[in-house]
Amino acid sequence: MSADNFRKFHKNNPIVFHKVVEYSKHLMKQGKAHYNIETILGVIRFNIDVDTVGDQFKINNNYKPFYSRMLMDYLDNEGFFQLRDSVASLHDYTPDIEHYINWKATHNEL
C-alpha cells in the first residue's frame, strides 16, 4: 500500500482520523499509556456510523501503520502504539495533519 493511496483516502475521509483521535483521547483519559490501532479502527469500522469513499473497504487494514503514526505525531504522544518497520515510517504527515486541522475547523459540530 502506498502513501499516496493513504493520503487520497485521508483527504476524502478525514472523519476517520477524527474518530481515531476521539477514541484515542478517550483511552488516554482512562489511563491507557499504550494501545492497539487495530482495535481502534475495528471499533470505528463496526460500532460507529462512518461512511467512507475511495476504497473498496470501509477502512483498509493497510492504512493502520499510517493512522498510528499520524496520531502519535498529531497528539505528540510517541509510544502510544508499538510500531514495526513500515513504508509508513518514511511518510511526512504534516500535510495530512494540516488537512485534518482545516477540515475540523469547518466542522465545529463534531
Side-chain angles (χ1 to χ4, degrees):
M1 180 61 51
S2 76
D4 290 337
N5 291 346
F6 169 75
R7 182 159 281 155
K8 288 176 191 172
F9 182 82
H10 172 61
K11 282 188 177 192
N12 288 324
N13 304 285
I15 188 71
V16 173
F17 184 64
H18 181 70
K19 295 299 182 182
V20 169
V21 170
E22 281 184 333
Y23 194 63
S24 297
K25 283 182 174 181
H26 172 76
L27 292 166
M28 290 172 195
K29 284 180 185 175
Q30 290 183 334
K32 304 285 186 192
H34 309 284
Y35 213 75
N36 183 319
I37 190 66
E38 185 171 353
T39 302
I40 292 170
L41 290 177
V43 167
I44 294 166
R45 200 182 273 130
F46 297 112
N47 296 330
I48 299 173
D49 189 22
V50 174
D51 291 323
T52 61
V53 297
D55 197 295
Q56 71 185 58
F57 302 106
K58 185 173 184 176
I59 304 171
N60 193 319
N61 280 334
N62 293 332
Y63 300 147
K64 290 186 294 189
F66 294 95
Y67 278 121
S68 59
R69 286 160 177 81
M70 187 164 70
L71 178 85
M72 290 190 297
D73 283 356
Y74 177 69
L75 296 180
D76 194 27
N77 189 345
E78 188 85 19
F80 189 64
F81 300 113
Q82 184 176 352
L83 304 177
R84 296 180 181 176
D85 287 336
S86 167
V87 67
S89 299
L90 305 173
H91 186 69
D92 176 13
Y93 294 96
T94 304
D96 305 303
I97 291 170
E98 288 173 0
H99 175 73
Y100 170 68
I101 291 169
N102 292 333
W103 174 86
K104 187 176 174 194
T106 63
H107 291 80
N108 296 329
E109 71 279 1
L110 297 176

